[in-house]
Amino acid sequence: MFSKLSRSKHLLGRFSLAPKVMLARSAGSVPRRQAQVTDINKVEGGGTGIASVLDNLSISPAPSPVSRHMFPPSPPRAPEAEINTGLCPVSGANTEDRDEFWRKVPVWKDVSAEQFLSYHWGVSNTVQTSDKLKRFLDAVIPDHVPLDKSGTQTMSREEFVQDVMDGVAAATMSIRMTPYILSRVNWRDPRHDPIVRQFLPMHSLMAPDHPKLALDSLHEAADSPVDGLVHRYPDKALFLPTSVCPTYCMFCTRSYAVGGNTGTVAKTSLKPTRKRWEEVFRYIESQPGLHDIVVSGGDSYYLQPAQLRYIGERLINMPNIKRFRFASKGLAVAPARVLDESDDWVNTLIDISNKAKRAGKAMAWHTHFNHPNEISWISSAASQKLFEAGVMVRNQTVLLRGVNDDIETMSKLIRQLADNNIFPYYVYQCDMVKKVEHLRTPLQTILDLEAKLRGSIAGFMMPSFVVDLPGGGGKRLACSYESYDPQTGVSTFTAPAVTGRDKENKVYEYYDPVDCAEALIEKPAI
């Protein structure tokens, strides 16, 4: 049923970043048509299940409050002969293509492939809360881990775990990581692992917040005519039906609402209630110029199948809506759900996609991979299933310092996504949100990456490199800046198409990380 699962051998050649050039405007700076898409951070399913392999690590069931009252069960589907609930059939896949990589994690060394590919098992063994995280780290971290990349200095397990716990206390996002994403980490060198840098806050790496940032840096609340609907562009809007994700990203642009309260942030509630959803739908129906809806959150993966179907069918039946996308990080952090026939989420998504096509409308899944290490034979098999089912999948990547801000990593990621028929859509400049200053890059980095990558892969597989403007200006091509001074770290942009809320002719500013601007200022003249 599936084919070509191991595509990582087909990568671009190595590139090196050209020396930074003081600011000639990059070629190709004519702004393209923009689209409202959310940064994704995302997913949990309800239910308990197979006992956790780590004592007290299982999570309690978390059914949606509306799933029991608002929606009937999904209709039964005809059995499909080629699919089973164990190891999915993979045509042409060798044994080495399906390595059981999760067994390298000590607490999952005895977990079978059938268990690991069960979404039910994955939910039951998701690591969340500080206590569960500490127990997990105590079980998987070696006695000493490298402190520097050369490995000449080390820190003890206790020191590393305490560094993470201090980071959790200071962070804006709760802790939640799926077994899949935890199993993609190199736990022998966690401090320098690109996945750990995204999801586990280390207090020793944190830098002071930029003085110009804000918790809701994109001013989404101000651009919301009703609770949970951001309407910024003339023909596009962002629907936030839930605020729960399967894995929480430290750099979440929606840290003001996503996840549980933390020691530093009391979250805005976006519970999936029928009353709130109906207000959103009534607003959408009242706007004849609104044609495109992004369904995000939180994460669409957390929606129950009946909820997913309800939203999809409502949008399909609205005459003014021509396109909609479900935003979910699920394919990157819990891909087994796509292959698990005991869970109906993906079959519901495929049904919605087909129904939209019959109505002459377009539905897509927008997912969120940031590093090639997140891609495995499981995510490749899931992508192939979606491809064969005719579901359009696009990816949005966030540019992060120490994760994907070099040409080799970014080119490898883009190529592997393309080889899995996932269309690289956006590469975002990291938003100016709290407690992630150490992950942001200067604007020059995204400009250099695009300049070196363009022409190395087919244009329809080349993402747009964008800045989502602080203050609600929307997405603009990074190279379409009006001005940029690397010495001060200040870049300016205009957004002619975004005119609501007194934004006409407004000039928006993006600020490089303070430490990057300071380094340039302090660097002696040659």
Side-chain angles (χ1 to χ4, degrees):
M1 179 177 177
F2 306 109
S3 62
K4 299 181 181 177
L5 298 184
S6 181
R7 299 182 171 94
S8 60
K9 298 178 182 178
H10 308 293
L11 306 177
L12 287 176
R14 292 174 178 263
F15 293 89
S16 59
L17 278 173
K20 293 189 176 180
V21 178
M22 298 283 295
L23 266 221
R25 183 186 292 271
S26 301
S29 62
V30 178
R32 304 174 187 175
R33 192 181 73 152
Q34 301 180 358
Q36 168 70 23
V37 186
T38 185
D39 186 27
I40 322 206
N41 330 44
K42 306 44 176 144
V43 199
E44 177 189 287
T48 54
I50 300 172
S52 171
V53 294
L54 192 63
D55 288 342
N56 299 317
L57 208 63
S58 62
I59 63 173
S60 57
S64 165
V66 288
S67 64
R68 298 189 303 269
H69 310 295
M70 183 176 173
F71 308 100
S74 297
R77 298 185 320 107
E80 298 183 32
E82 292 188 67
I83 298 176
N84 60 42
T85 58
L87 272 171
C88 56
V90 182
S91 61
N94 298 320
T95 303
E96 59 267 25
D97 294 327
R98 299 194 308 210
D99 65 303
E100 297 183 351
F101 51 84
W102 57 89
R103 292 182 183 266
K104 297 176 184 177
V105 182
V107 296
W108 295 322
K109 61 183 177 64
D110 297 322
V111 173
S112 68
E114 185 174 1
Q115 282 178 297
F116 194 78
L117 290 175
S118 163
Y119 180 65
H120 190 67
W121 182 91
V123 170
S124 297
N125 288 279
T126 291
V127 174
Q128 61 179 353
T129 77
S130 297
D131 289 343
K132 292 176 183 177
L133 174 63
K134 186 178 186 304
R135 289 196 292 273
F136 178 86
L137 294 177
D138 285 339
V140 302
I141 300 296
D143 291 342
H144 291 86
V145 297
L147 181 62
D148 59 346
K149 289 188 176 181
S150 66
T152 57
Q153 301 181 63
T154 63
M155 62 192 308
S156 68
R157 177 197 299 119
E158 292 74 19
E159 289 172 329
F160 176 80
V161 172
Q162 188 58 54
D163 193 16
V164 172
M165 293 298 104
D166 290 343
V168 170
T172 61
M173 296 299 296
S174 302
I175 292 297
R176 176 175 290 152
M177 295 180 72
T178 61
Y180 176 84
I181 205 65
L182 286 166
S183 69
R184 303 303 293 169
V185 169
N186 175 13
W187 291 109
R188 295 184 302 277
D189 187 11
R191 190 175 171 85
H192 303 106
D193 186 87
I195 294 175
V196 168
R197 283 184 68 87
Q198 297 179 62
F199 304 114
L200 287 185
M202 287 173 276
H203 192 267
S204 63
L205 298 181
M206 290 180 173
D209 289 336
H210 196 286
K212 293 289 187 177
L213 64 71
L215 185 61
D216 179 9
S217 68
L218 304 183
H219 289 197
E220 290 186 338
D223 285 334
S224 297
V226 295
D227 188 23
L229 185 82
V230 183
H231 189 186
R232 177 174 296 139
Y233 302 100
D235 71 337
K236 293 171 283 289
L238 169 67
F239 176 30
L240 307 174
T242 183
S243 59
V244 180
C245 304
T247 292
Y248 292 131
C249 308
M250 284 198 304
F251 50 90
C252 180
T253 193
R254 208 157 290 123
S255 58
Y256 68 90
V258 170
N261 293 338
T262 68
T264 59
V265 180
K267 305 299 178 88
T268 301
S269 176
L270 289 174
K271 292 182 180 179
T273 64
R274 178 163 189 161
K275 178 181 179 181
R276 185 173 70 83
W277 284 17
E278 289 304 319
E279 288 176 353
V280 167
F281 291 137
R282 282 195 295 271
Y283 177 84
I284 294 172
E285 291 169 328
S286 73
Q287 302 295 309
L290 196 52
H291 305 309
D292 194 334
I293 302 296
V294 181
V295 183
S296 183
D299 194 296
S300 295
Y301 225 44
Y302 185 68
L303 297 172
Q304 298 297 320
Q307 296 172 319
L308 190 72
R309 184 180 300 277
Y310 178 74
I311 292 173
E313 292 181 350
R314 281 294 300 264
L315 295 174
I316 290 169
N317 291 330
M318 294 182 189
N320 57 318
I321 299 304
K322 308 302 181 185
R323 295 165 296 280
F324 58 98
R325 325 95 178 256
F326 288 101
S328 170
K329 197 175 175 68
L331 195 57
V333 300
R337 187 176 198 182
V338 176
L339 305 174
D340 188 347
E341 285 297 303
S342 68
D343 182 272
D344 207 38
W345 191 93
V346 74
N347 298 311
T348 301
L349 185 79
I350 292 170
D351 288 346
I352 295 169
S353 175
N354 291 334
K355 187 169 185 177
K357 290 174 184 175
R358 290 193 295 270
K361 301 186 177 186
M363 188 220 80
W365 180 347
H366 282 197
T367 193
H368 179 191
F369 288 87
N370 284 334
H371 194 276
N373 290 1
E374 297 163 20
I375 300 173
S376 73
W377 65 267
I378 300 176
S379 47
S380 293
S383 301
Q384 180 67 15
K385 178 176 179 178
L386 293 165
F387 180 63
E388 291 184 12
V391 176
M392 168 63 72
V393 183
R394 305 187 185 103
N395 186 72
Q396 301 172 172
T397 292
V398 178
L399 181 62
L400 299 167
R401 198 190 320 187
V403 175
N404 55 17
D405 59 336
D406 63 280
I407 195 73
E408 182 180 359
T409 301
M410 186 62 74
S411 61
K412 182 177 181 179
L413 174 63
I414 292 172
R415 177 68 67 177
Q416 287 194 346
L417 290 169
D419 288 351
N420 281 283
N421 294 298
I422 299 172
F423 285 78
Y425 182 27
Y426 279 145
V427 173
Y428 284 95
Q429 184 77 353
C430 185
D431 290 330
M432 296 180 63
V433 293
K434 291 185 175 182
K435 302 302 180 183
V436 296
E437 196 72 1
H438 62 293
L439 292 177
R440 294 201 304 122
T441 64
L443 185 73
Q444 189 65 55
T445 301
I446 198 170
L447 298 174
D448 289 345
L449 284 171
E450 180 178 16
K452 294 297 292 185
L453 283 166
R454 190 161 296 282
S456 68
I457 191 169
F460 63 89
M461 284 297 187
M462 180 68 178
S464 294
F465 291 75
V466 300
V467 180
D468 210 342
L469 299 177
K475 298 165 189 66
R476 302 297 291 172
L477 293 176
C479 60
S480 69
Y481 58 82
E482 297 295 325
S483 66
Y484 175 37
D485 182 353
Q487 295 293 331
T488 63
V490 180
S491 52
T492 63
F493 295 81
T494 58
V498 179
T499 58
R501 207 164 50 82
D502 299 322
K503 296 179 183 179
E504 193 166 356
N505 300 319
K506 182 175 179 178
V507 176
Y508 299 88
E509 293 182 336
Y510 182 87
Y511 299 88
D512 287 352
V514 171
D515 61 331
C516 295
E518 287 176 346
L520 281 173
I521 292 171
E522 294 171 1
K523 186 176 181 179
I526 298 175

